[in-house]
Amino acid sequence: MATIVVASKNPVKVGAVEEAFRAMMPEGDLAFVPVEVDSGVPDQPMGDEETRLGAITRAENARFVQTNAQFCVGLEGGIAVVEGQAYTFAWMAILDQAGTLSTSRSLMLPLPSEIMERVQAGVELGHAIDEVFGTTNIKHKGGAFGIFTDNRLTRKSVYVDTLIAALVPFTNPVFGSA
């Protein structure tokens, strides 16, 4: 049995990791272990560099919690401003038992100024969305992607696709580690 440690107890993140691993390793006997670990970055990471670092740090810290895991997965959502427009996105980091790291970044979703004003005032994105839209704990549901696309995309669906891309070096023989 392969143990996959998910560096989060958020059900959306755990579900995304499980769906992606089962899609890419359909013959595997997989066990998923959610753990809470520190990201080493602010609660609301800004920019690619900080967000990617958060995902990697989560994966690395998860390895200390469950040392016998075959894979440790860190997921981190962030915000970037490009030419005056704010976007949300996520980075995924997968670390295997041998120390091989693979990362992948999601697509970017534009954010309205009303949300970004709250974020700039120190409110985490999920809480800002809850304030504006009257939702409760949106980050454990469809997230920003769900709210703004009428659930055509969701936080989970975007995370699953991004995780599948990060799994490619571990599952495709052309990379040599599959």
Side-chain angles (χ1 to χ4, degrees):
M1 177 175 295
T3 300
I4 294 95
V5 178
V6 184
S8 176
K9 290 188 176 180
N10 178 319
V12 171
K13 291 180 178 183
V14 174
V17 171
E18 184 170 346
E19 188 174 326
F21 270 82
R22 292 199 188 283
M24 295 300 284
M25 300 176 180
E27 305 301 319
D29 187 12
L30 309 174
F32 299 88
V33 179
V35 299
E36 286 293 336
V37 296
D38 188 51
S39 68
V41 299
D43 287 342
Q44 184 55 75
M46 298 300 289
D48 270 314
E49 202 171 300
E50 192 170 77
T51 307
R52 184 173 183 269
L53 177 62
I56 293 169
T57 302
R58 284 186 191 279
E60 290 171 342
N61 286 342
R63 199 159 72 164
F64 294 119
V65 174
Q66 187 98 15
T67 57
N68 65 335
Q70 280 68 39
F71 296 96
C72 293
V73 183
L75 308 89
E76 193 72 40
I79 294 175
V81 178
V82 178
E83 296 181 8
Q85 173 62 56
Y87 297 89
T88 188
F89 59 92
W91 274 95
M92 310 291 141
I94 302 174
L95 186 64
D96 75 1
Q97 210 167 27
T100 303
L101 175 69
S102 177
T103 61
S104 185
R105 183 181 169 285
S106 77
L107 57 92
M108 292 173 41
L109 177 76
L111 294 172
S113 59
E114 186 176 7
I115 298 293
M116 199 54 201
E117 288 166 9
R118 284 174 166 75
V119 170
Q120 289 169 328
V123 178
E124 191 178 339
L125 177 60
H127 300 298
I129 291 171
D130 285 342
E131 288 176 13
V132 171
F133 289 93
T135 54
T136 303
N137 207 8
I138 195 69
K139 65 184 186 176
H140 285 192
K141 298 172 187 162
F145 286 94
I147 284 285
F148 297 121
T149 68
D150 197 24
N151 287 315
R152 286 175 182 86
L153 295 173
T154 63
R155 187 177 198 201
K156 182 179 178 185
S157 72
V158 170
Y159 283 15
V160 168
D161 290 346
T162 307
L163 285 159
I164 286 172
L167 276 165
V168 167
F170 302 112
T171 60
N172 190 306
V174 77
F175 285 86
S177 63

